[in-house]
Every structure is written in C-alpha cells, then in structure tokens.
Amino acid sequence: MSEQPEPAAWVPTYPRIRQIDEALARVERLVCAAMFLGMGLMVFASVLPEVFGRRREWIDVVALFVAALVGVYTRTVKEGERRPNILVGIGLAAAITLAGSALVWLYVREFPGGFIWAQKVAMVLMIWIAMIGASIATYDRSHLSLEMGEKLWPEKALKVVKAAAHAITTGFCLIAFIVSVQLVLTQQEEGDPISPAVEWLPNWVAFLVMPYAFAVMTIRFLAQSVTNATETAAPVEERLPS
Amino acid sequence: MTIVIVILLLALVGAPLFVIIGAATAVAWDMYGGVPDFWAMGAKVLHPFETLMTKDAFLAIPLFVGTGAIMTEGGMARRLVDFMRALLGWLPGGMGMAAVLACMGFAAISGSSPVTLIAVGSIMFPAMVGAKYPENFSLGLVMTAGSLGCLVAPSLILTIYALAVSTAEHGSVTTEQMWVAAYVPAGALALILCVYCFFVGLKGGERDKFSWGRVWTTGRDGVWALALPFIVFFGIKEGFFAPFKAGAVAFTYSLVVASLIHRELEWKKLFATLSEAARLMGMLILIIALTFSLNQLFAEVELDKKLAKFLVDMDLGPIGFLLLVNVFLIVVGALMDSVSATLVFAPILAPIAVLHYGIDPVHFGIVFVVNMEIGYLMPPVATNLFVAAALFKKPFGQVSRAVMPGLALTIGAMMVFIFVPTCSKGLPNWEDTGDIAEVWEPFPWDGKPVGKLFGEEGHAGIGSITGASAEEALKDDSIDKLSEDDYYFGGGDDDPTAVEPASSDAGVEALDAAAEDDDAEDDDDDLDDVQL
C-alpha cells in the first residue's frame, strides 16, 4: 500500500507582521463582542420602561415566579451538584422573583422614559460592530464572493487570479478609505449630532470607524494579494458562514 | 454593457461581492448619474452609508444574528432538535419531520437560513444517515428545511425586504405585515416537506421508539428554546415592543438561558460567539450599505418608471408579470446572494407590481421572499448549498443533485402561493377584520387591486401601503372623492364612488388618481393608458 505523502508544513513568512495582524484581529474580536453585548443589553434596557412603565400587574409577578421555578428545575446540574428539593426550589424561585421585580420596579421608577439615547447609541454601536466585523471577515478571508469564478481557472493560473482579485479589492478599499475620511471630515465640519435627542454625540463619531475599517482592510487585502502571488499565503480553514 | 463587463470580470476573478456591487454602482453612477469627477462618484457610492443611522429597524438584523449564534453555541438548538426527535422520530420519516420542525423552530428565532442549516443540519444529517435514511434525501431535506428560515418570522430576508421597499413611493410594507403574512406559507412548506418525509420513510429508514418519558425529558430541557418564538410573537402582537426591539428581548433571553440555565455559555465562549456574529454582520452590512447607493441611483434615473413602462408596454397582465418576475428572481437568486438581490430588486419590482398590476404589496413581498428562498437552494450560487458542501464535506455536484426534490416541491408550492393570495393575505386579513369570512383574498386577474385601500390604522393589507399615494390623491381637488364621513357612514348620492366600504372602490379611485398623477408628471402617453 502506497501512503499519501504528507503535505509540506507551512512556514509563515514575515512572522512579526503576522503576529501583529493576529493580535489586532483578537483585539477587534474582543471589542466587537463587547459592543455587541452592550448593544443588545442597551436596547433591552429601553424595552423595559416601554413594557412596565405604566403597567403594574400581579400576573407579571406570577409569570416571573413560574419562569423562575421552571428555571430552577430545568437548570443544568453539573457533576457533584444536586437539584434542590421542592421547598428550596420554591424559596429560590421566590427570591429570584422578588429580586427581579424589585429591580424592574426600581429601574422603571428611576427611569420612567428609559434612556432616550439608548436606541441611537445602539445604532452607532451597530455601525462600529459591522465595520470592524468587515475587517475581521477580511482577516478570516470570509467575505462573500461568487466562487464560481475561481472554479473556472486552471490550478496554475489560480494564484495569479486570486492575487489580482485581492489587488483589485485593495484598490477598492483604498478609495473607500479616502472617501470615508472625506465623509468624516465633512460631518465634523457640519457638527451635527446623531440625533437632536443625543446632542452630546456628534455624527462623525458614528462613522469614524469607516476610515479605520477600510484602512485595515486595505492593508490586509494587500498582504493577501502579495502572499497569494508569492504562494506564501497561510492555509485557510474551510469557510463556514456562521 | 460596461456595467455587465465590470461585474463579469470581477466575478470571474472571484472578487468579494461587496467589491462587485461597489464597483458596478460606481460605474453606473459615472454613466447615468452625471457625477462630475472620480471622488464625487466615490462619495455617491459610500455616503449612503449614513442611511444606516436613519432606520431603527436595522437593529433587528444584528440582534437576531446574535440570538441565533447564542442559541447555537449555548445548546438551545440541540435541545430543540432532541425534543422534535423525541416527538416525531417514531413515525415513518419521523426523523426527517423532526429536522423540518426543528429547522422551523430554530429559524423562528435565528432568522437566518444558513445559521439554521448549520445549527440543525449538523445534528440531524449524521443522525438521519446513521438511521439508514438515503444520504441524498437527508442532505436535500436539511438544506431545504434550513431555507425555511427565510419565511419564518423573524426572518432576516422578510425584515430586509420590508426595509428595502420602505423608501419606495408605492409598494412599501412593514416588517410586522411581512412576518404575519409569512406564517401560512412557511407552515404549508413545512407540511409539504413532512409529507415528503413520510413517503420516503415508508420505504426505509429506522424509527426511534416512542417514549413519553423521553418526550417529557427533552421537552423539559427544550422548553426555553420552544418558548422564545411565542414570547417574540405575542410581545409584538400585544404591542409590548416593536419588532426590532423583539430582537433585543430574544437576545437577552437567549443570553440568560444559555449562560444561567443551560450553563453552556461562559464568558470566553460568549465573546467568541458574539465576535463571530459580528463577522457575519460585517459581511452583510457592507453589501447592504452599498446597495443603498444603487437604490438612490435607480431613483435618480427613474429606473422603476422605465422598467414599468417596458413591462406595461409588454402588456403582460398580472399573471404574465408574476411569472416573468419569478423566472427573473430565480435566475437572480441563483447568481446573487439573497440579501443583495432583495435590496437591489425589491424596490424596483414592488411598485410596479402594486401600481400597475394591482398586486397586493404584502402578497408580492411573500412571493418575492419565497423566490429568494429558492435562491438559497438554486445552483450555482446558493448559500445553503455552499454551507452544506462545506459542513458535510460533500462534493458540490452531489449537494446540487440532492437538493433537487426539495427545490421542486418548493417551486410547486410557490406557484400555489402566487395564484392564491389568501395563502399570504389570509392571516393579515383575519387579524385586521376579526372576521373569518374576510380571510379570502382573490387574485387580481384583471390587474385591479382587490384589497382594502383605506384600512384602519395598522391595517395589514394594501391600505397602509398605498396610504401615501391615496393621500396625494385626496389633496388633489380635481378628483371626485368621498369625505371620510361619507366613506365610513355612507352618503354622497351624487357621487359615483359612494359604495359600501367593503367594496373599497373609493380607495381604488384614489389609487387610480395617484397613478394618473404619477403618469402625468412623467408626461408619458403610454403610461397614461394604464388602468388599475
């Protein structure tokens, strides 16, 4: 039986640059995740006063108690733990209900209109998440593309074609970077806030992420173009839209 | 022609989709938009990014994407599949049915077809093959069922469709209308797939043993995943929160359940999950934002009116129009991804369908979205096929062949949805009137709108959609019309439009007038002949 030869191990070129790129991608992921969490919770916080601002119904407390009780008894029990007995379970559910109700009551009493700015700030976060996400997608080489194009080329020509595609994309991102800088400068000159209700946050801050993202994407696509042309690109794991 | 060459060249070298759309848009602005220089052209392409800040509904997209990611990583999807399997796995084809219903349940929360396919398909496909179901059947089924995510509220595509047409003068719909209208088509498609599973299951495939104990155990574990769609649905229906805020409720709910109850989402995993969701957002938003520019160009060059004139000149009638649109959208769906196809073509086609062929905008929206669902499955550019090929490590050719039966069933169902508007409009009509007799919605065979034009506030049909055009018509003194009191309480003996409100002729008059008003502005004799 003939054994398949092991593919040669990939040796990274420019290890320092790759390390910096990887570190930047990690920071981007961390920032994005934190913003994502903040955005979701911020919008949720604006929902609470809408639902409970003028509503004081015992049925809500009962529903919370039932949910807490179900939660206590469906909570995953890890090794070495035991499910609480019925009395402890009811006690726990009551405590959760009391704490939850009190928190919501206090919150809607202190902030009956919610936070007017929450929704708009959440939208700013959305733009930041999306643009940094685009930068991460560049790092992961997972931007959507019509892959049929790649399938038409012979193996030998493929590296040149890929390098060309990345070079074109580099050019596009570079132009986008310049235009987005102009956009932000114009917004800064105009000095408008993101919304009349959120005067403390200028519009240009929301879009400041565009020049950043396009700049990083330009550099990353340029690097990918060079590494493709010189056949030093890192092997890409199979891409899965998530 | 230059635009087509640019698109083809970029597609051939495998450039990212956002570059293809951006470059094609820039060339189109240069050719038709009369931009003075290169940088002005760049500004035309990128400055519409500001639109992202103007529509709150956009928040629904990241929030539901995040929810889907948390549900997948936090074990909620797995529990949902386990419960469906315990419930249906004993029937002939029961595991297939479980896959279909789990896809529907999961899609109801994640709002995304590829995410559904990954979350449910990665569990159900190996299980079905292990239970001796034919491999191609299993593969095709999970792909087709995964694409149901398009139609089950809160679907991304339904939301994006509503956003895409929101700026159109005619044909706009709200996200809620689309969500409600999609329930019956989604349920019907799921039923068709279940029947298909049943017949395949009669020929082979192992069955699970039914056990109430297993149903109880898996149901107890899956209760949180099962409850979420109901919370979202009733929260919106009872007016507790807007659809995009439902995304925040679903997000927080899944976060609490996955981390505190299922205990499968510690901080590190949560951050990894959310950063993956952000990456997906990054892939989507660039394309979405670039198509804003394309839409602005279409509006500036009045492409919708030119296309309308072309289609009206062809004198297709509503049937011919819808069939042509279907063929067109299936081709588009096969070549473009569904999000960008929706953003580009929905604002062009919806006004024509509504204004010139009397097709209800909600009905047209559902037909459009079902086409996009087919696009997810139609080779060569089918997202679900790519995902399945990569996920299950199968050749693309096999994946393409495997999806054919499911594709045929979906196309067949779509034909029914097209010619029986009740499938999409029945539920909104019922919700709107509270009268089961009002559920039936006839097809506009003669090209005249059949819905109610002056619906109450929040009417889910044509009324709220053509409100802008109707108001324009009401302001026009040259048009005979009923006063609001006459309309609701009768009267106006000398008024030819004084009819029962249910017949809605007054609204038709108003729409007619609006259409004629538009045509007059165009100063276009051909369009003046159009009768609604």
Side-chain angles (χ1 to χ4, degrees):
Chain A
M1 255 177 76
S2 61
E3 281 187 11
Q4 287 252 318
E6 287 275 319
W10 174 71
V11 182
T13 47
Y14 306 107
R16 182 68 65 189
I17 296 174
R18 287 181 195 276
Q19 277 172 3
I20 294 170
D21 193 24
E22 192 185 336
L24 180 64
R26 279 188 184 189
V27 172
E28 286 181 332
R29 284 179 193 280
L30 198 69
V31 170
C32 266
M35 284 182 171
F36 216 124
L37 194 59
M39 177 184 66
L41 296 179
M42 209 179 272
V43 181
F44 180 72
S46 71
V47 174
L48 283 178
E50 282 175 25
V51 179
F52 298 108
R54 279 177 301 215
R55 187 182 157 92
R56 299 284 186 279
E57 302 282 351
W58 280 106
I59 187 80
D60 295 341
V61 180
V62 173
L64 182 59
F65 176 75
V66 172
L69 198 61
V70 174
V72 167
Y73 283 101
T74 55
R75 188 166 191 256
T76 303
V77 178
K78 291 194 173 171
E79 213 176 295
E81 295 177 348
R82 279 190 312 150
R83 212 175 277 290
N85 66 37
I86 189 75
L87 279 179
V88 175
I90 290 172
L92 269 172
I96 293 168
T97 308
L98 196 67
S101 308
L103 272 176
V104 172
W105 179 75
L106 271 174
Y107 176 70
V108 297
R109 196 190 69 168
E110 293 301 316
F111 307 103
F115 299 104
I116 301 168
W117 48 265
Q119 202 164 303
K120 284 291 170 192
V121 172
M123 293 180 80
V124 174
L125 288 177
M126 177 187 74
I127 293 171
W128 278 72
I129 291 163
M131 290 309 297
I132 300 176
S135 171
I136 298 171
T138 308
Y139 175 80
D140 288 346
R141 292 184 241 180
S142 56
H143 275 290
L144 293 170
S145 60
L146 306 180
E147 293 180 12
M148 63 172 180
E150 287 183 14
K151 292 193 170 76
L152 296 173
W153 300 95
E155 189 71 26
K156 279 184 181 174
L158 201 56
K159 69 166 188 177
V160 181
V161 172
K162 276 187 176 177
H166 286 133
I168 292 167
T169 311
T170 305
F172 182 88
C173 290
L174 182 64
I175 296 164
F177 164 70
I178 296 167
V179 174
S180 53
V181 168
Q182 290 170 347
L183 172 71
V184 170
L185 289 175
T186 312
Q187 287 173 332
Q188 205 175 10
E189 266 176 37
E190 287 168 355
D192 291 335
I194 56 165
S195 152
V198 194
E199 284 194 342
W200 51 270
L201 187 57
N203 209 18
W204 62 269
V205 172
F207 293 91
L208 193 59
V209 70
M210 281 178 66
Y212 163 78
F214 281 123
V216 176
M217 284 165 73
T218 304
I219 296 166
R220 282 183 172 151
F221 274 119
L222 179 66
Q224 285 169 22
S225 177
V226 173
T227 52
N228 267 314
T230 55
E231 289 186 314
T232 53
V236 183
E237 288 178 7
E238 280 170 349
R239 298 183 338 206
L240 282 182
S242 52
Chain B
M1 193 62 192
T2 316
I3 299 170
V4 176
I5 292 170
V6 167
I7 292 171
L8 277 178
L9 276 176
L10 291 173
L12 278 177
V13 297
L17 208 54
F18 77 86
V19 176
I20 298 177
I21 293 176
T25 309
V27 173
W29 271 111
D30 186 42
M31 291 173 69
Y32 306 109
V35 286
D37 58 45
F38 180 80
W39 296 111
M41 181 176 74
K44 284 283 186 190
V45 176
L46 279 183
H47 285 200
F49 270 63
E50 288 182 297
T51 312
L52 286 171
M53 276 299 291
T54 61
K55 290 190 186 300
D56 295 341
F58 275 120
L59 275 173
I61 300 173
L63 291 171
F64 279 115
V65 167
T67 306
I70 291 172
M71 286 192 68
T72 309
E73 294 299 321
M76 290 169 85
R78 195 186 66 242
R79 286 171 170 82
L80 191 67
V81 170
D82 287 348
F83 174 67
M84 292 301 175
R85 193 172 164 179
L87 203 65
L88 299 165
W90 58 279
L91 286 165
M95 279 180 65
M97 295 180 196
V100 172
L101 292 190
C103 278
M104 272 196 80
F106 186 78
I109 306 141
S110 77
S112 159
S113 287
V115 172
T116 305
L117 175 58
I118 292 167
V120 179
S122 56
I123 302 166
M124 285 311 287
F125 174 68
M128 287 176 73
V129 173
K132 298 191 173 55
Y133 281 87
E135 186 177 86
N136 276 4
F137 162 74
S138 312
L139 197 56
L141 185 77
V142 291
M143 283 189 286
T144 315
S147 75
L148 278 171
C150 271
L151 272 178
V152 185
S155 139
L156 275 185
I157 295 290
L158 289 173
T159 309
I160 286 170
Y161 179 89
L163 288 170
V165 297
S166 63
T167 49
E169 195 177 350
H170 305 284
S172 63
V173 289
T174 65
T175 310
E176 296 95 314
Q177 288 167 348
M178 289 296 288
W179 287 8
V180 172
Y183 280 119
V184 172
L189 268 173
L191 186 67
I192 290 166
L193 288 178
C194 285
V195 172
Y196 171 50
C197 291
F198 180 81
F199 284 110
V200 173
L202 286 176
K203 292 180 195 162
E206 291 171 359
R207 300 191 213 169
D208 292 339
K209 275 192 177 165
F210 182 79
S211 144
W212 281 112
R214 196 165 153 232
V215 172
W216 164 251
T217 315
T218 55
R220 190 189 60 197
D221 284 348
V223 68
W224 295 98
L226 289 165
L228 184 48
F230 294 99
I231 292 171
V232 168
F233 180 76
F234 286 109
I236 294 169
K237 193 166 161 36
E238 295 301 315
F240 288 132
F241 36 75
F244 76 90
K245 289 191 175 176
V249 174
F251 179 85
T252 311
Y253 176 95
S254 55
L255 197 64
V256 170
V257 170
S259 55
L260 298 180
I261 296 174
H262 294 158
R263 301 169 80 183
E264 288 190 25
L265 203 65
E266 71 278 13
W267 281 104
K268 200 175 169 186
K269 200 172 172 185
L270 171 67
F271 269 63
T273 304
L274 291 180
S275 71
E276 275 305 290
R279 184 175 64 96
L280 185 65
M281 276 296 298
M283 290 154 63
L284 283 177
I285 282 282
L286 269 186
I287 296 168
I288 291 173
L290 285 167
T291 54
F292 291 151
S293 171
L294 205 55
N295 292 342
Q296 280 187 6
L297 176 68
F298 289 159
E300 199 153 309
V301 300
E302 298 186 325
L303 185 70
D304 56 338
K305 286 178 181 166
K306 286 174 184 161
L307 197 60
K309 180 180 179 313
F310 172 72
L311 288 169
V312 170
D313 284 350
M314 285 172 77
D315 197 20
L316 293 163
I319 303 169
F321 169 75
L322 276 176
L323 290 177
L324 184 72
V325 163
N326 273 292
V327 173
F328 173 71
L329 287 179
I330 287 176
V331 173
V332 164
L335 294 173
M336 287 173 80
D337 88 295
S338 300
V339 171
S340 30
T342 304
L343 285 161
V344 172
F345 294 106
I348 298 175
L349 295 172
I352 300 170
V354 173
L355 207 54
H356 298 286
Y357 291 107
I359 297 162
D360 186 279
V362 174
H363 174 218
F364 182 76
I366 296 299
V367 171
F368 190 102
V369 172
V370 177
N371 269 296
M372 291 298 103
E373 183 182 336
I374 292 170
Y376 268 114
L377 301 171
M378 182 72 88
V381 186
T383 315
N384 274 18
L385 266 57
F386 288 134
V387 173
L391 186 66
F392 306 128
K393 298 189 170 50
K394 298 289 170 197
F396 190 73
Q398 184 189 350
V399 171
S400 301
R401 281 193 302 277
V403 82
M404 287 304 160
L407 195 56
L409 288 172
T410 313
I411 292 174
M414 186 179 68
M415 286 298 140
V416 177
F417 299 154
I418 289 173
F419 296 111
V420 187
T422 306
C423 295
S424 51
K425 279 301 302 296
L427 210 53
N429 284 352
W430 188 20
E431 190 187 53
D432 197 36
T433 60
D435 184 358
I436 195 80
E438 294 287 322
V439 163
W440 178 252
E441 176 92 6
F443 185 82
W445 301 106
D446 53 359
K448 288 183 189 248
V450 292
K452 296 163 196 63
L453 291 173
F454 283 11
E456 302 80 0
E457 191 66 34
H459 182 276
I462 198 166
S464 53
I465 287 130
T466 54
S469 55
E471 276 172 26
E472 274 177 36
L474 283 168
K475 285 176 194 160
D476 189 343
D477 292 335
S478 64
I479 304 165
D480 287 340
K481 50 193 168 276
L482 293 171
S483 70
E484 195 173 324
D485 282 352
D486 284 344
Y487 176 73
Y488 286 111
F489 305 114
D493 289 339
D494 54 351
D495 192 325
T497 58
V499 289
E500 290 291 317
S503 68
S504 73
D505 282 357
V508 176
E509 284 289 324
L511 189 61
D512 258 340
E516 282 169 18
D517 202 24
D518 280 347
D519 293 341
E521 278 175 21
D522 280 349
D523 201 20
D524 187 331
D525 291 336
D526 290 325
L527 285 179
D528 284 339
D529 295 331
V530 177
Q531 293 298 313
L532 285 166

